[in-house]
Amino acid sequence: MDASGAYERFRHWAATLLAHQQAGSEVYQFSTIGALLDGVYDGDITVAEILRHGDFGLGTFNHLDGEMVVLDGVCYRVRADGTATRADPTDRTPFAAVTRFHADFEFDIAEPTGRAAVADAIDRRIASANLIYAIRITGRFRELHTRTVLAQQEPYPPLTQATEGQAETVFTDATGTLVGFRTPEFEQGISVAGYHLHFLDAERTGGGHVLDFDLEHGRVAVSGAAELHLSLPTSGAFLDARLSGADIAERIDQAEGPGADRPPEP
């Protein structure tokens, strides 16, 4: 093979590798957490469309009817009783965030560790607090506290009121996976700043939005992203929603519960 042929093969390989890395560095998000706060619970995007943009992530479903967990390219719906089933491709969502998970780094947790300590261990290893990170924690949990908001009916209440009637579940000695994101402080209102995690058990039959956990042992994998693709609804209640305000961080903390750990300032 001559030098020019070898160069062309190398250039093609490098371009393919770069395209693969770039494909995995984007978070695709439909709508904003601010819209959920204001009671925008009807979405005009399907699960099938969400899965076109990523194989890992979280969200909710129309009318807040279940927590969404996207793991290994499959979308699950966790109902208010804590049970999980595969979502239908035609199911719709008012809010979801997904990425193509690629582990930039991984580490093991070998002894019982609480939620805050796990978050600290991740924070010490990330490149910058100003980027987005998909977080996947697989292991055995001595105890894990979740919630699922009950399905809402029109006229929809704001999220802070909807979560007052949330159904809570405590898993003990459970194996499974935490799925979610660590989002920078400056994204508060677009996303949930800090750690936002959902749980799916190993059998993929139960889970929920994570409020707290005590990890007995497990493995943490982190996938960084430098791009955010934000897709906004173009019809319905979103157009008139109040998406900002001085109290938005307080309202998010109230709605998301103690699970919404805020990141330290960079």
Side-chain angles (χ1 to χ4, degrees), residues 16-253:
T16 302
L17 178 63
L18 180 60
H20 173 75
Q21 291 175 333
Q22 289 177 335
S25 66
E26 176 184 277
V27 172
Y28 173 88
Q29 181 175 309
F30 179 75
S31 195
T32 70
I33 195 68
L36 283 187
L37 286 175
D38 208 46
V40 182
Y41 302 151
D42 291 325
D44 52 8
I45 189 171
T46 64
V47 164
E49 177 65 18
I50 289 295
L51 293 179
R52 288 185 56 247
H53 296 278
D55 56 17
F56 178 95
L58 50 69
T60 186
F61 293 89
N62 271 8
H63 322 303
L64 296 188
D65 188 14
E67 304 285 348
M68 178 187 293
V69 182
V70 178
L71 182 60
D72 298 328
V74 179
C75 181
Y76 299 88
R77 183 200 294 258
V78 182
R79 298 284 189 178
D81 62 358
T83 61
T85 57
R86 284 198 180 203
D88 192 285
T90 59
D91 287 341
R92 293 180 176 272
T93 172
F95 174 85
V98 294
T99 189
R100 300 196 184 280
F101 194 92
H102 62 288
D104 291 319
F105 65 86
E106 300 180 57
F107 63 93
D108 292 320
I109 301 290
E111 59 186 24
T113 308
R115 180 190 176 100
V118 172
D120 288 343
I122 297 171
D123 289 345
R124 290 195 299 269
R125 290 170 169 83
I126 60 175
S128 169
N130 293 329
L131 300 177
I132 308 169
Y133 298 92
I135 308 296
R136 176 173 179 157
I137 304 172
T138 302
R140 184 172 185 83
F141 298 85
R142 295 202 296 186
E143 187 169 288
L144 191 142
H145 189 188
T146 68
R147 74 103 198 270
T148 302
V149 178
L150 300 174
Q152 303 296 303
Q153 296 181 345
E154 293 183 301
Y156 297 132
L159 188 60
T160 52
Q161 293 181 22
T163 55
E164 291 177 356
Q166 65 190 18
E168 300 189 8
T169 303
V170 176
F171 295 84
T172 57
D173 295 325
T175 57
T177 303
L178 302 185
V179 170
F181 295 93
R182 182 200 188 280
T183 303
E185 179 72 20
F186 62 78
E187 278 197 46
Q188 186 75 297
I190 296 175
S191 305
V192 177
Y195 287 86
H196 183 188
L197 303 169
H198 288 184
F199 174 66
L200 191 66
D201 66 16
E203 296 76 24
R204 304 194 176 185
T205 58
H209 170 94
V210 176
L211 298 175
D212 201 5
F213 66 83
D214 188 3
L215 179 64
E216 184 173 321
H217 58 79
R219 187 163 186 81
V220 178
V222 178
S223 173
E227 298 180 23
L228 174 64
H229 180 153
L230 181 60
S231 179
L232 300 177
T234 57
S235 62
F238 180 86
L239 300 182
D240 298 316
R242 182 171 74 97
L243 303 181
S244 61
D247 63 340
I248 194 165
E250 179 182 347
R251 288 189 289 143
I252 289 175
D253 288 344

Side-chain angles (χ1 to χ4, degrees), residues 4-22:
S4 61
Y7 171 75
E8 287 300 322
R9 287 174 63 87
F10 172 78
R11 190 176 70 167
H12 176 73
W13 171 83
T16 302
L17 178 63
L18 180 60
H20 173 75
Q21 291 175 333
Q22 289 177 335

